[in-house]
Amino acid sequence: MNQPAPHVEYRAVHKRYAESDWVVRDLDLELNRGEFLTLLGPSGSGKTTCLMMLAGFEPPTMGDIRINGVSVAGLPPDKRGIGVVFQNYALFPHMSVGANLAFPLEVRGLSADQRRERVARALELVRLEGYEDRRPNQLSGGQQQRVAIARALVFEPELVLMDEPLGALDRRLREQLQYEIRRIQRQLGVTVLYVTHDQTEAMAMSDRVAVFRAGRIEQVASPEVLYEEPQRPFVASFIGENNLLRGRIVSVEHGVCHVDVGDERIQAAHIGDLAPGSETLVAIRPERVHIAPLSMHYSNEFDAEVEDISFLGDHLRVRLLTCGSSDFIAKIPNIVGHGGILPGDTVRIGWGALDCRALEAEAL
C-alpha cells in the first residue's frame, strides 16, 4: 500500500544571512497531513528560521520547500494558504475582534455574509462567542492569543504555523491554551508546524518533535521515543534530565556494552556503531536510579555519598557523589520513609543495564 504524500517537504534546505554562519544546514524534513509537528531547540538553533521559510517571509539560500508536492519557491506569503500565529498576537489595535477576524476574509474577496459566518464559527472554535465588538486592549493576554489563533484559522487553511505562541503567557494560561490548541487541531484535522524552546510544551502537544541544535536536526521522533530512546547526548540532555557520565567502552555483547567510568564499570544499552575503545557518554534518567535497592537486584550497583536533597513537592531530588561525578542526580517519590536519607549518608544505588544508554561522546 502506497504511503500518502507528505503535506510539507523540506529538501536539502540551507539558510544564511549575508556572510554569516549557516543558520539552517542540511534540512530534510517531512510533515504528514494532519500532523502536529514541533520544532524544539534553544534560542538561535534555527527553528524559527525554518518556519519563516515555509511561511514565505524568508527565502532559502539553497534547497527547496514543497507544499502538496509543489515547490513554493518565489510564491509570496499571501498565496501559500497558510495561517500563522506569532507570540506577540499581531492584532490590529484600532479594530474590533470581529474586524480583525474578517480582515483576511475581506482580502480574499468573501462576501459580507460569508465573512460573518466564518467569524462566528472561528470565535466558537476558540470559545470567544460574543466578543466580536471588543477591542484587543479590552481582552486578557490569553483572550488576545485565542483571537490570534482564530484569525489564523478563519479562512480555513490546511496548514497553520505557530511561532512561540504561548511564550508571553504565565504558566497556568500556557497549560490551558496548550490543551485548547491541541483540541482545535484535532477537531479540524489541520497540519500544524509549531515552534518552541519549551520541552514540556513540545512533549505535551506534539505527534512528533524535531530537536534542533546549531541549525541541524539532531533527532525527529514521538515525544515518548525522544525521552526513552535518545540517539545523541544533546537530545538526552535537552529532553528531560539525564545524568551523563563520560567513559570508554571495554566490550559489547548482545546489545549491551561494558563501560569504564572512573573506577567503576557500567553496563548500558549499546547505541549506534560504537566499538570497544571508543569514548562514550552514558545517559541515565534520575528517576531510573534506585536508592537502597535489594542487593544484587540490578546490573549496576554502586556506593554513593548524599551531597544534597531538594524537596520538590511530589518528589525529592537527591544529588550524589558517585561514579566520578559530584552532580549525579536521583529522583525519589515523596512517600513515607524518604526522611531516612540525609546529606552526608553513604547509600547504595542501582539501575538496570537497559535503563541507561551508551551514546556517542560529543561536546555539549
Side-chain angles (χ1 to χ4, degrees):
M1 186 175 179
N2 292 332
Q3 287 282 90
H7 192 168
V8 175
E9 302 168 81
Y10 291 85
R11 291 287 178 241
V13 171
H14 296 66
K15 177 66 179 180
R16 74 190 305 177
Y17 297 98
E19 297 303 315
S20 67
D21 291 336
W22 292 103
V23 180
V24 175
R25 296 176 289 174
D26 302 316
L27 177 63
D28 287 292
L29 181 65
E30 295 181 353
L31 281 78
N32 300 314
R33 186 169 298 278
E35 181 178 30
F36 196 118
L37 177 67
T38 295
L39 309 183
L40 173 68
S43 297
S45 59
K47 55 192 188 297
T48 291
T49 300
C50 291
L51 182 143
M52 292 300 187
M53 288 190 289
L54 177 56
F57 300 132
E58 293 285 351
T61 306
M62 298 166 54
D64 191 29
I65 299 174
R66 302 173 189 173
I67 299 177
N68 294 322
V70 178
S71 174
V72 294
L75 194 66
D78 61 323
K79 301 298 183 184
R80 298 191 181 197
I82 297 174
V84 183
V85 183
F86 296 107
Q87 178 177 332
N88 63 358
Y89 318 139
L91 301 175
F92 299 118
H94 63 287
M95 289 185 179
S96 67
V97 167
N100 264 281
L101 268 59
F103 180 75
L105 301 176
E106 189 173 357
V107 169
R108 287 168 172 80
L110 274 71
S111 69
D113 287 344
Q114 289 174 315
R115 294 199 299 269
R116 279 193 294 272
E117 181 183 339
R118 294 276 188 95
V119 168
R121 195 156 61 228
L123 286 174
E124 182 181 0
L125 195 64
V126 297
R127 298 176 178 173
L128 285 177
E129 302 97 320
Y131 283 70
E132 293 91 334
D133 297 328
R134 298 197 189 184
R135 295 287 178 91
N137 63 6
Q138 296 175 303
L139 304 177
S140 68
Q143 289 170 334
Q144 289 185 61
Q145 194 57 288
R146 286 173 189 261
V147 174
I149 293 167
R151 187 177 60 183
L153 297 169
V154 72
F155 62 93
E156 300 179 357
E158 295 182 337
L159 175 62
V160 176
L161 313 183
M162 297 189 177
D163 186 18
E164 303 272 9
L166 310 182
L169 306 177
D170 63 42
R171 190 185 72 171
R172 186 173 180 179
L173 262 179
R174 282 203 312 271
E175 290 175 352
Q176 183 180 357
L177 279 181
Q178 285 170 19
Y179 166 77
E180 289 296 321
I181 290 170
R182 192 63 166 128
R183 174 187 65 80
I184 291 166
Q185 185 265 336
R186 285 174 170 161
Q187 182 176 333
L188 297 180
V190 297
T191 305
V192 171
L193 184 67
Y194 193 94
V195 166
T196 184
H197 64 273
D198 186 323
Q199 53 157 299
T200 303
E201 191 168 287
M203 300 283 277
M205 300 176 71
S206 312
D207 295 312
R208 287 190 302 151
V209 179
V211 181
F212 273 73
R213 182 191 189 194
R216 296 181 187 272
I217 292 178
E218 294 275 297
Q219 188 174 348
V220 185
S222 68
E224 182 178 357
V225 169
L226 283 178
Y227 190 86
E228 299 292 352
E229 302 174 21
Q231 296 297 313
R232 303 183 67 85
F234 178 79
V235 177
S237 62
F238 195 76
I239 304 291
E241 187 175 18
N242 249 313
N243 296 295
L244 294 175
L245 303 174
R246 193 170 292 272
R248 188 173 297 276
I249 295 177
V250 177
S251 62
V252 180
E253 300 172 6
H254 309 297
V256 173
C257 57
H258 298 256
V259 183
D260 280 348
V261 176
D263 296 328
E264 307 289 0
R265 181 163 293 181
I266 293 175
Q267 294 183 42
H270 180 234
I271 307 303
D273 300 321
L274 297 175
S278 301
E279 285 195 6
T280 183
L281 282 170
V282 177
I284 314 106
R285 296 281 182 196
E287 66 269 23
R288 299 296 171 84
V289 178
H290 298 262
I291 295 180
L294 296 173
S295 180
M296 304 303 291
H297 189 71
Y298 294 102
S299 306
N300 301 294
E301 292 190 12
F302 310 103
D303 288 327
E305 184 176 339
V306 179
E307 298 280 290
D308 186 44
I309 301 175
S310 300
F311 178 78
L312 296 173
D314 62 342
H315 72 277
L316 281 78
R317 191 171 185 273
V318 184
R319 186 164 61 87
L320 302 162
L321 173 60
T322 189
C323 296
S325 172
S326 60
D327 194 30
F328 188 95
I329 304 300
K331 292 179 181 177
I332 59 175
N334 179 14
I335 57 176
V336 175
H338 69 70
I341 302 172
L342 298 171
D345 288 350
T346 296
V347 296
R348 192 76 172 162
I349 63 172
W351 64 87
L354 299 183
D355 288 328
C356 58
R357 299 167 70 78
L359 306 172
E360 180 181 350
E362 61 182 37
L364 296 175

